Amino acid sequence: TAERLSDISRIHAALQILFPTPERAAAWLRRPNAAPLFDGGTPLGRMRGGQVSVLTAVRQYLEAQVYC
């Protein structure tokens, strides 16, 4: 549970940095994404699968965008 909460918190923080408004961050989560991690699906859809490893991968993907 702690790992999931940490990943979700860090995903939220990265989205706040990458997108200037909450609406744009929410849109990113719901929009189909061609990145290999998402395979044309939505980031939110992938995260809803329930696997901690997916949350960690999404967090790492976003943090790579922030810190590149």
Side-chain angles (χ1 to χ4, degrees):
T1 301
E3 187 175 353
R4 287 177 196 270
L5 289 174
S6 175
D7 283 336
I8 291 169
S9 176
R10 290 172 66 180
I11 288 168
H12 179 73
L15 288 171
Q16 287 183 314
I17 293 168
L18 291 169
F19 299 101
T21 65
E23 294 79 18
R24 288 188 64 193
W28 181 86
L29 286 168
R30 290 176 173 85
R31 188 175 301 126
N33 193 312
L37 173 62
F38 307 111
D39 193 31
T42 66
L44 188 57
R46 282 284 278 148
M47 291 188 295
R48 283 185 174 162
Q51 296 179 14
V52 175
S53 62
V54 173
L55 289 175
T56 301
V58 172
R59 175 187 53 80
Q60 291 170 337
Y61 175 86
L62 287 170
E63 288 179 345
Q65 304 304 308
V66 169
Y67 299 114
C68 283

